Amino acid sequence: MTFQDLNLNTPLYNAIEDLGFETPTPIQAEAFNVIASGKDVVGIAQTGTGKTFAYMLPILRHLKFSKQENPRVLVLVPTRELVVQVVSEIEKMSKYINNRVLGVYGGTNINTQKQAVAQGLDIIVATPGRLYDLAVSRVLQLKSIQKLVIDEVDVMLDLGFRHQLMNIFDILPPRRQNIMFSATMTKDVDELITDFFINPMKISIAVSGTPLENIKQERYDVPNFYTKVNLLEHLLHDKDEFSKVLIFVAFKKMADRLFDKLEELFPNESCVIHSNKTQNYRLRSIEQFREGEHRLLVATDVMARGLDIEGVSHVINFDTPDYPENYMHRIGRTGRAEKEGHSILFSTGAEQEARERIEALMQMPITIQVMADDVEISKELIEEERPQIKEHYNPTKQREDDVPGPAFHEKKEKNQKENLGGSYRREIAKKYKKPKTRGDKNYNRRNKKK
Ligand code: AMP
């Protein structure tokens, strides 16, 4: 199939030609007519398959020029980085179309965004929280939304955005087309579809869990963190081969720890993103990596979901993710848009079960490699790897934190005082032993007589 087979128009053909795309990707070919038909659509596709264009091409094809201020297309994505990326993709496609696209996300000045909204727009790309705030402030009117796209729905639900999505659904016009894309079909995603979609058409180009065929996958058994660092160092010395490397770790702390090590080993070649870093820092890191200023990017799973960075030579799974789906998302960052990619997985003894789960999901083994002889095996262990000292069972000894806490209905200490009213009177009474009130003439008289 070629782009000529899709019912596009000249401005879109020209933009596609400028981008140098030759043929539609499978999800683009499959989604075009279904989305153009106006029906609700659920697409299962991993990032890197060209899914952003898959939903945007038919939308842009049928979005008529308008001067009205309220947006007609709403695209919801889970992270701020994705807002930036999706806006940039839409802008590329809209090179010869006169439309107004705006990206909004939390963590930045809402007033600047309010001003931008007030200028009028056609397409808004947003994270759910900020979108809702803008809608509640009434600056953003959603009454003209005709198409709602929710991208990376599975991550959105993993991040706990379900409630926010419900709130947004409530304020959207009921007559609209819903389009949803998810990399995996989880139970939560399925529930959302059943509750809010009307007979959606399902399109899917890869069964969830199928690795992209053009990714070469290898793995190493590595005993601990510091040996992993040594192996990583050994691999990364080959700068021609390892030219753009995305390194995944599970936790923020580990990301910082590894970043510090890499800074020592390869100064000024790496950057890091995780949710504790500021928005500017994160965007800068991604940009530096994208532009090739920095060769190495250390990232946590959530931060890197959906990120599209061209030409990632290798994805290194510095740890073995507990959830096999995360492995699928990680390796999807390389071998994008039909280029060959490489993925390398490091697993300690404790991580072997997780590795087996990944292989079971993919229904294929990952090729094992043996570490080169000059990779030093470290004996040093990080805090998390040291054996936990367990106390022997001693029923007579009750530890402080074993004592049961108060029942949930018991009041906290500061709330236990009863409100007796007249606190001033009680204070005075305490001081003078007997009630003493200014107006109690009888009391005063009685006391005088004595
Ligand atoms: P996505 O899955 O939407 O994140 O897209 C992955 C990458 O593929 C993006 O960098 C797109 O610019 C690129 N891309 C999208 N469609 C095509 C196509 N038909 N041919 C080549 N590259 C594409």
Side-chain angles (χ1 to χ4, degrees):
M1 189 186 251
T2 66
F3 280 110
Q4 302 298 326
D5 298 322
L6 303 181
N7 173 25
L8 297 174
N9 52 15
T10 316
L12 284 171
Y13 280 129
N14 291 344
I16 287 171
E17 208 168 284
D18 287 358
L19 285 166
F21 295 170
E22 279 160 16
T23 48
T25 63
I27 193 79
Q28 288 164 2
E30 219 177 304
F32 192 87
N33 286 331
V34 186
I35 294 183
S37 75
K39 293 200 184 97
D40 279 5
V41 176
V42 175
I44 301 295
Q46 291 153 351
T47 325
T49 52
K51 68 188 166 69
T52 318
F53 280 25
Y55 61 73
M56 277 323 296
L57 278 175
I59 291 180
L60 288 174
R61 170 67 181 85
H62 296 285
L63 191 70
K64 300 211 167 48
F65 175 78
S66 161
K67 281 190 177 158
Q68 77 148 325
E69 282 173 8
N70 301 328
R72 287 167 292 156
V73 178
L74 167 61
V75 182
L76 291 173
V77 293
T79 63
R80 303 153 191 189
E81 285 76 7
L82 267 181
V83 170
V84 175
Q85 182 176 302
V86 170
V87 167
S88 132
E89 295 270 288
I90 299 177
E91 281 169 352
K92 281 185 216 157
M93 259 179 281
S94 311
K95 195 165 165 194
Y96 303 105
I97 307 174
N98 192 3
N99 64 16
R100 300 155 300 172
V101 186
L102 179 70
V104 293
Y105 46 79
T108 46
N109 191 330
I110 195 166
N111 290 326
T112 325
Q113 291 178 353
K114 281 182 183 170
Q115 282 164 13
V117 169
Q119 306 283 312
L121 62 155
D122 300 301
I123 303 173
I124 184 159
V125 184
T127 48
R130 180 52 60 97
L131 182 96
Y132 191 67
D133 291 346
L134 284 167
V136 167
S137 79
R138 304 214 149 262
V139 176
L140 176 67
Q141 297 281 341
L142 297 176
K143 60 184 178 206
S144 307
I145 296 290
Q146 301 160 354
K147 309 213 178 268
L148 165 70
V149 180
I150 318 176
D151 200 355
E152 301 279 346
V153 184
D154 47 351
V155 195
M156 196 94 85
L157 297 174
D158 281 355
L159 291 174
F161 282 140
R162 187 184 159 91
H163 189 66
Q164 270 153 327
L165 287 178
M166 302 295 101
N167 285 341
I168 294 169
F169 290 166
D170 274 351
I171 49 175
L172 287 174
R175 271 179 61 85
R176 59 170 197 262
Q177 182 184 14
N178 297 303
I179 302 159
M180 195 187 92
F181 272 83
S182 182
T184 46
M185 180 56 90
T186 61
K187 199 170 132 272
D188 289 348
V189 174
D190 200 42
E191 258 174 39
L192 189 82
I193 298 167
T194 328
D195 292 351
F196 294 95
F197 282 53
I198 307 159
N199 289 332
M201 300 281 293
K202 286 205 178 128
I203 44 178
S204 157
I205 53 128
V207 184
S208 83
T210 315
L212 301 175
E213 278 145 21
N214 51 350
I215 301 174
K216 194 172 155 209
Q217 300 180 56
E218 293 173 340
R219 70 178 184 90
Y220 289 87
D221 284 340
V222 199
N224 50 38
F225 177 87
Y226 284 106
T227 313
K228 284 182 177 180
V229 172
N230 296 344
L231 173 60
L232 187 63
E233 181 187 5
H234 172 84
L235 295 171
L236 294 180
H237 271 307
D238 187 347
K239 295 192 184 181
D240 291 334
E241 170 73 10
F242 288 78
S243 56
K244 200 168 197 177
V245 186
L246 186 49
I247 306 164
F248 279 102
V249 291
F251 310 107
K252 297 170 210 168
K253 193 171 158 191
M254 208 64 107
D256 281 331
R257 198 185 265 153
L258 183 59
F259 172 68
D260 291 345
K261 277 295 265 184
L262 287 174
E263 269 298 288
E264 267 173 45
L265 298 168
F266 302 98
N268 297 322
E269 287 189 54
S270 42
C271 34
V272 57
I273 47 168
H274 59 63
S275 55
N276 270 10
K277 298 286 180 197
T278 63
Q279 187 54 34
N280 279 341
Y281 185 97
R282 276 152 51 180
L283 288 174
R284 199 169 54 237
S285 288
I286 292 171
E287 230 21 66
Q288 285 170 336
F289 183 64
R290 201 193 290 275
E291 298 303 321
E293 254 174 73
H294 285 166
R295 180 168 69 108
L296 317 169
L297 176 65
V298 180
T300 52
D301 289 292
V302 165
M303 274 304 109
R305 269 300 283 280
L307 272 190
D308 171 47
I309 295 171
E310 246 185 53
V312 172
S313 67
H314 293 78
V315 162
I316 296 190
N317 298 275
F318 192 82
D319 56 22
T320 306
D322 261 348
Y323 296 99
E325 284 81 9
N326 278 350
Y327 176 81
M328 305 309 301
H329 297 306
R330 288 175 174 193
I331 68 168
R333 304 311 85 203
T334 177
R336 312 204 63 182
E338 286 152 29
K339 285 191 196 112
E340 162 134 338
H342 296 95
S343 156
I344 300 177
L345 173 71
F346 293 176
S347 318
T348 61
E351 290 173 326
Q352 293 301 328
E353 265 179 41
R355 193 256 308 157
E356 281 165 15
R357 281 198 295 274
I358 293 168
E359 292 178 331
L361 178 72
M362 298 193 297
Q363 296 179 336
M364 60 175 267
I366 306 170
T367 319
I368 187 155
Q369 300 289 340
V370 182
M371 280 197 284
D373 289 340
D374 49 348
V375 175
E376 193 192 323
I377 310 273
S378 172
K379 291 263 183 296
E380 196 182 340
L381 297 178
I382 54 168
E383 193 185 319
E384 292 83 349
E385 291 169 341
R386 284 180 215 138
Q388 306 288 317
I389 301 164
K390 288 211 177 80
E391 212 180 321
H392 286 291
Y393 178 60
N394 177 357
T396 55
K397 190 175 164 215
Q398 196 174 37
R399 275 174 36 199
E400 226 173 73
D401 52 1
D402 281 344
V403 179
F408 73 92
H409 57 269
E410 276 175 29
K411 288 181 175 177
K412 286 200 181 129
E413 197 189 343
K414 71 172 171 92
N415 294 334
Q416 272 174 356
K417 284 184 229 148
E418 244 176 277
N419 185 358
L420 301 169
S423 63
Y424 173 74
R425 255 176 38 212
R426 275 184 288 112
E427 282 295 306
I428 296 292
K430 224 192 289 167
K431 199 163 165 188
Y432 296 100
K433 303 285 187 303
K434 283 186 182 142
K436 184 176 179 182
T437 49
R438 265 197 296 162
D440 191 347
K441 287 182 199 149
N442 292 334
Y443 175 85
N444 291 336
R445 212 176 289 147
R446 265 198 316 271
N447 282 307
K448 245 184 216 163
K449 276 183 199 158
K450 277 183 193 164

